[in-house]
Amino acid sequence: MEQVRTRFAPSPTGYLHIGGLRTALYAYLFAKKNGGKFILRIEDTDRERYVPGSVEIIYSTLKDAGLIYDEGPDVGGDYGPYIQSERKNAYLEYAKKLVENGNAYYCFCTKERLEELHASGATKYDKHCAHLSKEEVEMRLKRGDSYVIRQNIPEEGSTTYTDMVFGDITVENKELEDNILIKSDGMPTYNFANVVDDHLMGINYVIRGVEYLSSTPKYNLLYDGLGWERPHYIHLQPIMRDATHKLSKRYGDASYEDFIKKGFLKEAIINYIALLGWSSKDNTEKFTLSELVDKFDLGGVSHSPSIFDEQKMTYINSLYVKEMSEEDFHNYAMKFYGNYDYLKGLDLKFLSTLLHSRVEVFTDIGKLTAFLTEFDGFDLQTFANAKWKTDAALAKEMLPGLIELTEKNFDGLHDALISFGEAHGYKKGQVLWIYRIALTGAQSTPGGAVEMAVLLGKDESLRRLNESLARVSK
Ligand code: GLU
């Protein structure tokens, strides 16, 4: 088998959304699985859709996610330049070749004529300029008339190819339009540039969105017209938000960066998006990137769209979080602690030990520590616990003693609380419940009574216990 060369060819139109990243991932996996090369090409010929800064986002996202490309604009390679706008001269030469052998033609139709054609109900260009005489074309070119170059699609017959996911695809040639290959500004359209670039870059496996499935016969006619070998094709179904809407930036949160900011780990994002359109033979769901390289196979690529499920991704993320070492968890959590002012001054390392088993995504830190800011004026009903038969009245009874033992015995708090219960005939569960609620005002906290006291420190613990006593005594 010749060396596999795949490419990811994004247009720099903003953030790298999840669908684009999935295409990149599959192209990467297929190349690496087969010992091939993965290439990045920036398709920036549509200047109107260009968003400054997005090329850098593409580079950094791919690298951060571990999809290291072997060739690309910022890493070089033997087939550059890897930015389409820097390849402008190559396209015209090949378009002219196609004109010479009858597979393309100059078109001088004005905007007005095309509008009239459209208004008259035509659904595609009527080949008007395909019938101009050679002399007329030469005269008009010499005169400097504005022109485009269009593909000359045969009016009869059909074109077939085999997609590696969808099987045989046949399109009647009469369904295809004589698309523009070179625009009046000399820039190629996607319809032409993808063919020329893929050929010149030696791309033999084209992996891209299913929206190109039915235009591929058109591209194949260009390969044929230029005497080039057609590549293999792998088209991918879209990722949906729900049954009817594609996942897109418009619905928010669909970019890699957004998910990183939300507290997902890159390993989990990659793992989850691999499953959006592919499944392993044994239905395993947790894969590192190198395991994916090992397991990925085209037989597992889905024929139907997949639905993005953030809960599922959260679950996958939680598996990765659990596997982190204490130290890695803490270092990663540090990036998020800064978002919460009220955490300043706490022993964050200790907080990390409490949160590690409870965090699914790192922004859970906000929910899990909210009790720290919500203490003031908490509902005294919180003291009620049916199992332990506790309430605010019992808190009023116990708190003076609990405050005293906290002052005297903060370092041996656990034993002091147990002895306190024994001495006064309270159950251990009652003492720990009342103590923890008086400290935090919350039924659910990321740790028990003693852990909460240690987290808050002696002074803050006493302040809170006294505050609770004052409130239950009112
Ligand atoms: N620039 C195209 C896009 O972003 C690439 C399609 C392809 O991979 O050929 O949709």
Side-chain angles (χ1 to χ4, degrees):
M1 183 172 169
E2 60 183 328
Q3 186 179 54
V4 168
R5 289 176 60 84
T6 66
R7 86 305 193 269
F8 176 47
S11 304
T13 54
Y15 286 100
L16 190 46
H17 56 97
I18 290 299
L21 191 61
R22 197 256 328 242
T23 305
L25 174 63
Y26 286 12
Y28 171 86
L29 294 175
F30 187 75
K32 295 298 138 185
K33 163 108 191 177
N34 293 292
K37 298 265 187 256
F38 170 57
I39 289 110
L40 172 65
R41 176 172 79 229
I42 300 295
E43 301 205 326
D44 63 342
T45 52
D46 188 349
R47 303 310 287 181
E48 276 159 34
R49 290 175 62 222
Y50 180 78
V51 175
S54 44
V55 173
E56 288 68 27
I57 292 176
I58 292 166
Y59 298 160
S60 63
T61 302
L62 292 176
K63 288 176 188 164
D64 189 55
L67 308 184
I68 307 299
Y69 37 97
D70 300 293
E71 298 166 28
D74 59 334
V75 300
D78 295 340
Y79 298 79
Y82 293 90
I83 297 198
Q84 229 160 33
S85 58
E86 293 172 14
R87 304 171 63 83
K88 190 172 160 185
N89 296 333
Y91 308 111
L92 194 58
E93 181 194 326
Y94 291 109
K96 284 184 178 162
K97 220 175 201 169
L98 288 167
V99 171
E100 273 163 36
N101 64 24
N103 285 295
Y105 56 89
Y106 290 96
C107 171
F108 302 94
C109 286
T110 57
K111 213 169 104 210
E112 291 71 29
R113 179 173 188 277
L114 295 175
E115 277 166 8
E116 272 170 34
L117 191 64
H118 187 69
S120 73
T123 52
K124 56 179 197 166
Y125 182 65
D126 62 355
K127 280 187 180 282
H128 176 78
C129 289
H131 308 299
L132 297 179
S133 71
K134 212 170 168 189
E135 293 69 36
E136 179 163 6
V137 170
E138 261 159 36
M139 184 274 288
R140 293 181 76 160
L141 288 176
K142 221 178 249 157
R143 196 167 71 185
D145 285 7
S146 167
Y147 68 84
V148 300
I149 297 180
R150 286 182 186 271
Q151 183 173 2
N152 191 13
I153 307 250
E155 285 167 277
E156 313 272 294
S158 60
T159 307
T160 299
Y161 74 103
T162 306
D163 182 89
M164 292 176 79
V165 171
F166 291 93
D168 284 355
I169 305 291
T170 300
V171 175
E172 296 298 321
N173 291 339
K174 62 174 186 302
E175 305 289 324
L176 302 173
E177 177 162 20
D178 285 359
N179 279 138
I180 295 175
L181 304 178
I182 301 285
K183 296 183 274 189
S184 56
D185 63 2
M187 279 285 197
T189 55
Y190 168 79
N191 289 320
F192 191 43
N194 88 85
V195 169
V196 175
D197 287 342
D198 282 340
H199 172 75
L200 295 182
M201 293 182 177
I203 304 300
N204 44 16
Y205 289 83
V206 169
I207 302 179
R208 64 182 164 209
V210 76
E211 60 273 27
Y212 298 102
L213 185 80
S214 59
S215 357
T216 296
K218 224 161 35 187
Y219 308 147
N220 281 331
L221 291 172
L222 294 172
Y223 279 94
D224 298 351
L226 288 163
W228 295 342
E229 197 179 329
R230 298 175 178 187
H232 302 282
Y233 295 99
I234 296 154
H235 285 97
L236 306 173
Q237 285 282 20
I239 301 175
M240 311 289 285
R241 178 176 61 117
D242 55 38
T244 48
H245 299 92
K246 270 175 95 168
L247 189 70
S248 80
K249 277 172 273 189
R250 260 176 299 152
Y251 297 113
D253 269 353
S255 87
Y256 177 81
E257 290 200 358
D258 287 334
F259 285 116
I260 292 287
K261 279 194 202 121
K262 262 188 151 178
F264 287 91
L265 295 166
K266 57 189 173 191
E267 294 83 358
I269 300 175
I270 287 294
N271 187 151
Y272 179 62
I273 66 171
L275 304 175
L276 288 170
W278 172 80
S279 54
S280 75
K281 286 197 188 81
D282 58 6
N283 281 321
T284 313
E285 289 193 319
K286 187 164 175 289
F287 297 101
T288 61
L289 187 56
S290 65
E291 287 165 348
L292 282 169
V293 168
D294 206 37
K295 292 275 159 63
F296 188 74
D297 64 321
L298 292 180
V301 173
S302 169
H303 292 204
S304 42
S306 27
I307 295 194
F308 185 84
D309 176 356
E310 191 165 329
Q311 262 181 332
K312 178 83 184 268
M313 184 157 92
T314 301
Y315 166 71
I316 302 253
N317 201 65
S318 75
L319 301 178
Y320 283 87
V321 172
K322 282 197 182 72
E323 273 180 7
M324 292 173 103
S325 68
E326 277 306 319
E327 193 181 344
D328 286 349
F329 178 86
H330 176 62
N331 290 338
Y332 206 88
M334 283 299 281
K335 297 189 208 169
F336 291 85
Y337 290 151
N339 299 338
Y340 310 103
D341 270 353
Y342 57 82
L343 296 179
K344 276 202 192 101
L346 294 184
D347 178 349
L348 296 177
K349 211 154 188 165
F350 180 61
L351 178 63
S352 290
T353 66
L354 299 179
L355 296 181
H356 193 166
S357 62
R358 295 170 168 90
V359 162
E360 290 190 298
V361 295
F362 279 84
T363 43
D364 287 349
I365 289 171
K367 269 183 287 170
L368 289 164
T369 58
F371 72 91
L372 288 164
T373 51
E374 289 163 6
F375 175 76
D376 291 339
F378 74 90
D379 184 353
L380 296 182
Q381 274 303 319
T382 316
F383 280 111
N385 179 306
K387 179 173 173 204
W388 298 116
K389 300 196 173 49
T390 56
D391 57 13
L394 187 64
K396 185 178 169 189
E397 191 180 299
M398 283 163 79
L399 274 168
L402 293 175
I403 291 168
E404 199 187 321
L405 72 84
T406 304
E407 266 165 358
K408 279 204 204 124
N409 220 343
F410 192 73
D411 291 338
L413 194 58
H414 180 261
D415 293 348
L417 289 169
I418 303 298
S419 320
F420 174 85
E422 282 163 8
H424 297 85
Y426 299 123
K427 294 205 179 72
K428 181 174 149 194
Q430 288 181 309
V431 178
L432 295 177
W433 179 267
I434 295 286
Y435 195 79
R436 191 170 60 83
I437 302 301
L439 275 180
T440 63
Q443 299 239 346
S444 144
T445 54
V450 177
E451 287 165 326
M452 290 300 98
V454 172
L455 178 69
L456 292 165
K458 184 172 176 179
D459 291 349
E460 179 62 9
S461 293
L462 281 167
R463 185 189 77 77
R464 287 175 173 232
L465 294 171
N466 279 304
E467 163 98 19
S468 289
L469 175 60
R471 292 198 52 218
V472 291
S473 307
K474 260 188 207 154

